[in-house]
Amino acid sequence: MIKVLKNGVLVRGWESVSVGLSLSTLCNGFSLSQFVADDFDSPVLFPGDAVRIECDKELLLDGYVDELSSSFSPGSHSINISGREKTCDMVDCSLKDFGKSWKNRTVSQIVGEVCSAFKILFDANGVKDNGKIVKFCPDPGCTGADIVSDVCRQKDVVCFSDGLGSVKFVNDSKFEFVEDFIRQGVNVLSADVTFNNSERFSDYVVLCSSDPKTKHRGESKDGEIGRSRCLVLVDEGYGNADSAEQRASFEVLSRSAKSTTLNVTLAGWKRNDGKIWKPGVLVDCLIPAFFGQWVQTMLVNEVELSYDSTGTFAHLQLVRRDYYTQPPARKAKKSKADPWASIRAKTMASEAKK
């Protein structure tokens, strides 16, 4: 049973609801509509009202109403409401301490401070920090979400919100494999796919902005791109050759994974195990119209749960399972030990006495 609660009180009379959840956003949204025939009662929900949407006692989204629009004509009165989860303030607003900057802090520390300023919970979700950011000075007026996105990009990590007002790092090692089998002609009501190589390149070159002579650079290749297509990127951070090469590797992997997107519509909101479809799970797909007879294991990246007069549906956006995979951190190269170090020291000491 789907429930909509305003400030903890059950709201009745709505006829459609849609909830969107995604691993690619810091703020999920919802929409509701009401239709009242021959009854011009005032709307129940107004901008600023706290809203919770549940399904079978499971909380899907916790947020606020952003917008209300209402209209009537002879014999009818329609009301449309839209809103977002609690992280909306971080997406819309700047920090009061707009002159704040960070030195030698990890991405977890910076994101945690920003979230705390907006009273939002943060969870690193088991993702390890890839070194410290030497210096980060956000532009005055940028939003909290801008700061989070910028520092995450510098360290090749991705942040998302869970619909309940908490921000987390995406951790691909925690993606759960579900028993469902998405199959054309069996449980897929409709589907579409997009293959797009316009954002892929054969060669990636990353230059460190901290090195004006560009001596520190990293390079990586995408062997699947046959034409000569080079992309030069300037790293925002104070990096070195190793971090630049890691960024270049990340670009290859990320852009390759993002070149394929599959959208499917299924009946109902729940999986075979009774749990509601949510982002962050792996599922096998057999769609001969797009992939032949090859079974594709794909990641559910976005979910839109909808209910209206036509039925209850789950609209899934699926991407390659390596969509959020980070390249392994490069180990700093150790200088070779000098086998003659002790002899050199004695020689230098002897020369100094002369």
Side-chain angles (χ1 to χ4, degrees):
M1 179 182 293
I2 304 167
K3 291 184 178 181
V4 179
L5 298 100
K6 165 194 170 182
N7 300 322
V9 179
L10 186 65
V11 176
R12 304 181 186 276
W14 55 270
E15 65 170 12
S16 71
V17 60
S18 175
V19 178
L21 303 171
S22 173
L23 291 178
S24 301
T25 183
L26 283 172
C27 190
N28 297 290
F30 69 92
S31 63
L32 302 167
S33 69
Q34 294 174 294
F35 180 82
V36 185
D38 298 320
D39 186 350
F40 299 99
D41 290 340
S42 298
V44 177
L45 291 167
F46 286 91
D49 283 339
V51 173
R52 294 165 63 94
I53 300 177
E54 301 177 355
C55 179
D56 293 338
K57 297 183 180 180
E58 181 177 351
L59 182 60
L60 300 179
L61 191 140
D62 189 2
Y64 304 100
V65 175
D66 280 331
E67 181 178 305
L68 177 148
S69 62
S70 180
S71 63
F72 69 87
S73 59
S76 68
H77 183 189
S78 63
I79 302 170
N80 296 294
I81 296 161
S82 62
R84 294 169 296 167
E85 67 170 302
K86 290 182 174 181
T87 52
C88 61
D89 290 339
M90 187 174 72
V91 171
D92 297 340
C93 306
S94 305
L95 291 173
K96 287 185 178 180
D97 186 7
F98 54 83
K100 187 176 180 61
S101 63
W102 289 268
K103 292 182 179 180
N104 294 318
R105 306 299 296 276
T106 65
V107 63
S108 293
Q109 290 172 327
I110 297 175
V111 173
E113 283 189 37
V114 173
C115 289
S116 178
F118 290 95
K119 298 181 179 180
I120 294 170
L121 297 177
F122 167 68
D123 181 5
N125 202 23
V127 175
K128 295 181 179 180
D129 288 304
N130 183 22
K132 294 183 178 181
I133 296 176
V134 177
K135 187 176 182 180
F136 180 74
C137 301
D139 296 329
C142 67
T143 67
D146 290 336
I147 296 174
V148 170
S149 297
D150 286 347
V151 296
C152 286
R153 184 172 59 252
Q154 289 191 30
K155 292 302 180 181
D156 303 328
V157 295
V158 178
C159 256
F160 76 103
S161 56
D162 60 3
L164 311 181
S166 296
V167 169
K168 301 178 180 180
F169 285 153
V170 174
N171 186 346
D172 65 316
S173 67
K174 291 190 175 183
F175 292 155
E176 172 191 9
F177 190 88
V178 298
E179 62 183 23
D180 294 68
F181 189 18
I182 295 176
R183 188 169 184 176
Q184 180 180 341
V186 178
N187 59 351
V188 176
L189 301 179
S190 64
D192 65 80
V193 70
T194 301
F195 302 103
N196 186 351
N197 268 4
S198 64
E199 295 297 322
R200 294 180 67 181
F201 300 85
S202 59
D203 298 87
Y204 295 84
V205 179
V206 177
L207 307 178
C208 293
S209 59
S210 58
D211 184 358
K213 296 183 179 180
T214 66
K215 293 180 180 178
H216 292 165
R217 57 189 287 169
E219 298 184 28
S220 190
K221 292 182 176 292
D222 187 340
E224 296 179 356
I225 304 300
R227 305 196 309 276
S228 178
R229 287 168 54 82
C230 178
L231 178 66
V232 177
L233 300 167
V234 178
D235 191 359
E236 305 99 312
Y238 290 75
N240 52 33
D242 285 341
S243 65
E245 190 163 340
Q246 184 177 357
R247 168 73 185 277
S249 299
F250 174 79
E251 292 292 337
V252 173
L253 183 63
S254 174
R255 290 170 183 263
S256 173
K258 292 177 180 178
S259 65
T260 302
T261 303
L262 172 66
N263 297 293
V264 300
T265 298
L266 309 176
W269 286 10
K270 295 186 177 182
R271 308 183 324 221
N272 291 339
D273 59 6
K275 295 182 179 180
I276 295 173
W277 280 106
K278 288 185 178 180
V281 296
L282 298 169
V283 60
D284 284 338
C285 304
L286 179 58
I287 313 288
F290 303 146
F291 306 109
Q293 294 300 322
W294 295 98
V295 175
Q296 306 285 319
T297 299
M298 304 193 76
L299 169 68
V300 179
N301 185 48
E302 296 182 6
V303 176
E304 180 185 353
L305 305 171
S306 65
Y307 169 84
D308 57 25
S309 58
T310 63
T312 305
F313 305 99
H315 310 278
L316 311 182
Q317 182 199 77
L318 301 116
V319 296
R320 280 175 32 177
R321 62 187 301 172
D322 57 351
Y323 194 89
Y324 293 107
T325 299
Q326 293 178 269
R330 293 177 57 83
K331 294 182 179 180
K333 296 179 180 179
K334 296 182 179 179
S335 58
K336 294 182 179 179
D338 183 358
W340 312 108
S342 59
I343 297 177
R344 290 182 198 279
K346 292 178 180 179
T347 301
M348 292 177 65
S350 176
E351 291 292 332
K353 291 179 180 179
K354 293 181 180 181

